[in-house]
Amino acid sequence: MENSEIADVLEETADLMEIAAEDGFRVNSYRKAARTVKDYPERVVDILADPARKVTDIPGIGKGLAAVLAEIVDHGSCERRDALLQKFPPTTLEFLKIQGLGPKSIALILEHYRISTIDDLERLAKEEKLRVLPRMGAKLEEKVLRSIAQYRMRSGRYLLSYADSMATELEAVLRGDGVDSVTPAGSFRRGRETVGDLDLLVTGPEAAAALDRFVAYSRVEEVLGRGENKASAKVGREGLQVDVRALPPASFGTALQYFTGSKDHNVALRTRAVRMGLKLSEYGLFRSEGAARVAGETEAGVYEALGLPWIPPELRENSGEIEAAEAGRLPELVDLSDMRGDLHMHTVATDGRGTLEEMAAAARDRGYRYIAITDHSKALAMANGLDEKRVVAFARQVREINRDGPGIRIFSGIECDILKDGAMDLADDALAELDLVIGSVHSHMNQESAEMTDRLLRALACPHLRVLGHPTGRILLHRDPFPFDFDRVAAEAAARGVWLEINASPERLDLHAPLIRAAKAKGARFTISTDAHHPQQLANMRYGVTMARRGWLGKTDIVNTLAAGDFAAALRKRL
Ligand code: DGT
Ligand code: CA
Ligand code: CA
Ligand code: ZN
């Protein structure tokens, strides 16, 4: 069991306790524990399995919570959660996933109505039976209906980062004697920000034995099918479906091409094959007449036989990549190894979990030449955001640290809130002390499109602003982007030399491909940054790079690929 899964169980327990109106202090201790476990650099299961170690050594985990953690690792739940699930309908956990319905509202609804499914809840809202409850109104009803529609649409999808850890876990299960390769395909290989299921391809003389190991794996919740060359199962607490296929080497290339997709890319490619008198399937590329095999062993061979250079998986969405390949105009995509620094991260000064020194050391270990420390501004009072006085002191502290030669160049920065009307949360003279100002929207995200557009345009006019942080505000599977005139904002950012952030946090991945391409067409330049709240989260850079690749970006589109001196010059000159 992964830490994030343990954290989910703790969060659910806290939600259920809140629905049961239990003591707020105890509810909070569960929520805190969830965060601690989620961010903890070591797996809790490993600590529990080691007789020489104690979970109580994790800061913030006392004896009581340690026992709860052991229970969760042992059987996926704890006594308290089980007891509460007896008390409320089992769908309560699903209700909690409806945006706009917190534990308190759910408690109120359960007090007045007998409901056991999302459909029941939808009916209540449609029959205007929620608005009669205390502190609820027609607006909330509307929001619940909208959220239910969204919930239905996104349920059954999983974050790229989750699929990534599952792929790594299962690769270890599938590998063994007589297994030559284990290769992920599907939307995961294309780097989509969420995946519906995970597709894995196995080759080798003993590939069938790998399928046996897969269906027998302890974390398989349900085997959906087991054929000669394919096995499907739901794996892990979240029930992610995984399709594993065993393939002969002669057709591995075409199979990899086929199962990587996208469907639209494949359709376009097959049409091209037909025009060339060929027939493309997962089994190979054959002549239409006589059925001689033309290609199949390697993916590059398949594209070559179709008169094309190999197309990177991130581009395979049938959005111009085949035409570009044909014309020899495929972009040279940015690579993780091109990144020289990370420009968005938080520390213990606000809501981060590492000190400035720990973040800098972790960045140095990744081989970066520079970082910007960008804690929150005062509008985020809950996160202990910095006011002007703290900003000035922080800028001075960073100048001193740099003088000591910390082995990495540190830029003093801030993630400054863009207030409701587009004003910056901090005074100009404080912002002027800093090397790098990111402006981000964290509040009033329900504004009308025109109002939000004006707000962002006004923020872009601030002479100190250098980066627009997580530009659309979306949280994957939770919150849609806020509406605004993206093209106009991107054009204005380009004109003013403000860079657009590609936020690499797996829950955000904001900007994403279509917007990146639209912004580049307007002349915009970009940063890729992790928004790390823990030293380990600097590793999320790879997901941001994947988004940039899906957006057809090369190294020169991204400013934090510059060498430290060039980057510092670009900062000063607004290049
Ligand atoms: P997902 O799982 O919904 O995130 O998206 P994919 O792209 O991984 O889709 P999946 O798992 O259903 O299938 C994997 C790949 O197999 C898909 O990208 C293309 C190929 N494929 C599946 N079904 C079809 C089909 O009916 N026609 C074509 N041309 N390709 C297909
Ligand atoms: Ca898939
Ligand atoms: Ca699949
Ligand atoms: Zn932010």
Side-chain angles (χ1 to χ4, degrees):
M1 203 172 190
E2 299 300 318
N3 284 2
S4 61
E5 294 171 293
I6 298 172
D8 287 345
V9 179
L10 288 167
E11 272 292 350
E12 279 175 10
T13 311
D15 286 339
L16 291 167
M17 288 161 75
E18 204 172 337
I19 293 173
E22 288 191 25
D23 177 51
F25 187 76
R26 296 182 62 178
V27 175
N28 255 337
S29 72
Y30 273 70
R31 290 207 198 286
K32 270 206 194 125
R35 235 189 104 184
T36 304
V37 167
K38 187 167 176 223
D39 290 342
Y40 203 67
E42 271 180 281
R43 293 172 80 212
V44 169
V45 271
D46 295 339
I47 301 176
L48 279 168
D50 184 346
R53 311 272 312 271
K54 288 201 295 275
V55 247
T56 45
D57 291 342
I58 303 176
I61 301 295
K63 275 219 175 88
L65 280 165
V68 172
L69 289 182
E71 274 186 275
I72 293 175
V73 167
D74 204 43
H75 62 277
S77 184
C78 57
E79 227 182 283
R80 178 164 232 106
R81 181 172 172 277
D82 292 341
L84 289 164
L85 280 176
Q86 291 290 316
K87 200 166 150 187
F88 302 116
T91 31
T92 307
L93 292 177
E94 245 184 295
F95 295 154
L96 283 163
K97 291 183 181 143
I98 305 292
Q99 201 190 327
L101 272 191
K104 294 214 167 67
S105 325
I106 292 171
L108 199 62
I109 295 169
L110 292 178
E111 207 179 295
H112 288 84
Y113 300 110
R114 284 184 70 90
I115 57 169
S116 52
T117 64
I118 298 273
D119 292 346
D120 292 345
L121 179 65
E122 188 176 32
R123 205 168 314 119
L124 281 183
K126 279 194 175 147
E127 292 170 359
E128 308 190 344
K129 284 183 174 156
L130 293 182
R131 64 179 69 180
V132 297
L133 299 178
R135 294 182 308 279
M136 291 196 184
K139 261 215 147 113
L140 182 95
E141 255 169 14
E142 249 172 63
K143 175 148 200 199
V144 166
L145 286 174
R146 230 177 316 130
S147 303
I148 289 176
Q150 283 168 8
Y151 170 78
R152 291 208 175 106
M153 207 166 61
R154 68 185 164 230
S155 63
R157 293 200 71 83
Y158 300 80
L159 293 183
L160 176 62
S161 55
Y162 183 76
D164 193 7
S165 62
M166 184 65 81
T168 307
E169 180 180 335
L170 290 176
E171 277 175 46
V173 173
L174 293 167
R175 279 188 203 291
D177 285 342
V179 172
D180 296 337
S181 69
V182 179
T183 314
S187 52
F188 174 70
R189 183 165 180 242
R190 302 198 310 279
R192 270 196 67 178
E193 47 268 56
T194 62
V195 306
D197 66 16
L198 177 62
D199 304 280
L200 299 173
L201 309 180
V202 184
T203 61
E206 298 295 334
L211 295 189
D212 293 337
R213 281 196 296 279
F214 170 60
V215 292
Y217 180 47
S218 62
R219 290 233 302 150
V220 162
E221 301 268 320
E222 186 190 352
V223 177
L224 302 168
R226 169 71 159 96
E228 200 185 332
N229 299 314
K230 182 186 170 188
S232 290
K234 293 198 178 262
V235 189
R237 212 180 85 82
E238 306 281 327
L240 171 61
Q241 181 176 329
V242 182
D243 296 337
V244 185
R245 292 179 176 84
L247 300 168
S251 62
F252 176 71
T254 27
L256 178 60
Q257 195 290 313
Y258 178 87
F259 289 113
T260 296
S262 65
K263 212 176 201 170
D264 290 346
H265 175 88
N266 288 357
V267 169
L269 216 56
R270 249 192 336 257
T271 311
R272 181 183 176 85
V274 169
R275 257 191 283 126
M276 298 173 73
L278 299 167
K279 198 169 155 296
L280 176 63
S281 75
E282 56 183 291
Y283 305 107
L285 181 63
F286 305 93
R287 293 219 180 287
S288 306
E289 270 163 56
R293 184 191 290 270
V294 182
E297 266 181 64
T298 69
E299 205 182 42
V302 174
Y303 283 98
E304 196 191 331
L306 292 170
L308 298 171
W310 180 80
I311 299 177
E314 294 93 332
L315 302 185
R316 299 184 197 170
E317 301 291 349
N318 194 31
S319 55
E321 73 279 9
I322 295 176
E323 295 79 355
E326 170 145 54
R329 275 203 294 270
L330 279 177
E332 180 146 349
L333 299 179
V334 61
D335 189 77
L336 180 58
S337 62
D338 293 327
M339 303 311 298
R340 295 286 169 272
D342 192 328
L343 303 176
H344 185 162
M345 65 190 71
H346 300 268
T347 72
V348 288
T350 61
D351 60 351
R353 314 268 287 175
T355 63
L356 185 155
E357 289 76 13
E358 286 164 346
M359 297 306 282
R364 217 168 35 223
D365 289 347
R366 305 196 70 77
Y368 289 152
R369 298 310 165 92
Y370 51 90
I371 53 169
I373 301 282
T374 55
D375 269 310
H376 289 292
S377 65
K378 66 188 180 200
L380 280 189
M382 260 178 21
N384 188 27
L386 272 61
D387 60 10
E388 282 80 359
K389 217 173 124 200
R390 285 173 71 201
V391 163
V392 174
F394 165 68
R396 186 179 320 126
Q397 178 201 357
V398 169
R399 283 193 291 270
E400 275 161 23
I401 294 173
N402 279 326
R403 222 169 288 139
D404 293 342
I408 184 167
R409 172 87 181 260
I410 300 171
F411 293 103
S412 62
I414 188 96
E415 183 185 18
C416 185
D417 264 53
I418 297 173
L419 303 179
K420 193 178 169 197
D421 61 355
M424 300 301 274
D425 183 31
L426 293 167
D428 274 346
D429 52 352
L431 294 179
E433 294 286 315
L434 297 163
D435 299 317
L436 180 113
V437 175
I438 300 174
S440 296
V441 168
H442 290 129
S443 62
H444 300 96
M445 279 177 267
N446 50 3
Q447 287 174 333
E448 297 293 324
S449 172
E451 203 179 351
M452 184 60 85
T453 305
D454 288 346
R455 177 182 182 181
L456 293 171
L457 292 175
R458 179 170 171 207
L460 290 173
C462 168
H464 304 291
L465 184 75
R466 301 315 320 276
V467 180
L468 189 59
H470 44 70
T472 80
R474 75 168 179 179
I475 303 290
L476 288 165
L477 312 180
H478 280 286
R479 188 171 76 208
D480 287 339
F482 45 69
F484 65 102
D485 185 341
F486 180 79
D487 281 352
R488 230 179 119 197
V489 168
E492 183 74 5
R496 290 187 179 272
V498 173
W499 304 319
L500 299 181
E501 178 178 86
I502 297 172
N503 189 295
S505 161
E507 286 89 21
R508 291 192 182 271
L509 298 179
D510 177 13
L511 299 172
H512 65 293
L515 296 185
I516 293 171
R517 290 180 74 180
K520 181 172 171 173
K522 299 280 176 199
R525 297 185 80 200
F526 305 84
T527 62
I528 310 177
S529 297
T530 59
D531 199 352
H533 284 68
H534 187 288
Q536 283 213 324
Q537 291 172 357
L538 294 176
N540 290 333
M541 182 60 87
R542 62 181 188 277
Y543 303 121
V545 171
T546 298
M547 289 308 111
R549 291 170 64 88
R550 288 176 59 79
W552 291 51
L553 295 189
K555 186 177 167 179
T556 53
D557 296 310
I558 295 147
V559 289
N560 48 329
T561 61
L562 290 170
D566 294 339
F567 176 74
L571 254 186
R572 278 193 304 273
K573 284 190 297 203
R574 282 190 161 263
L575 288 173

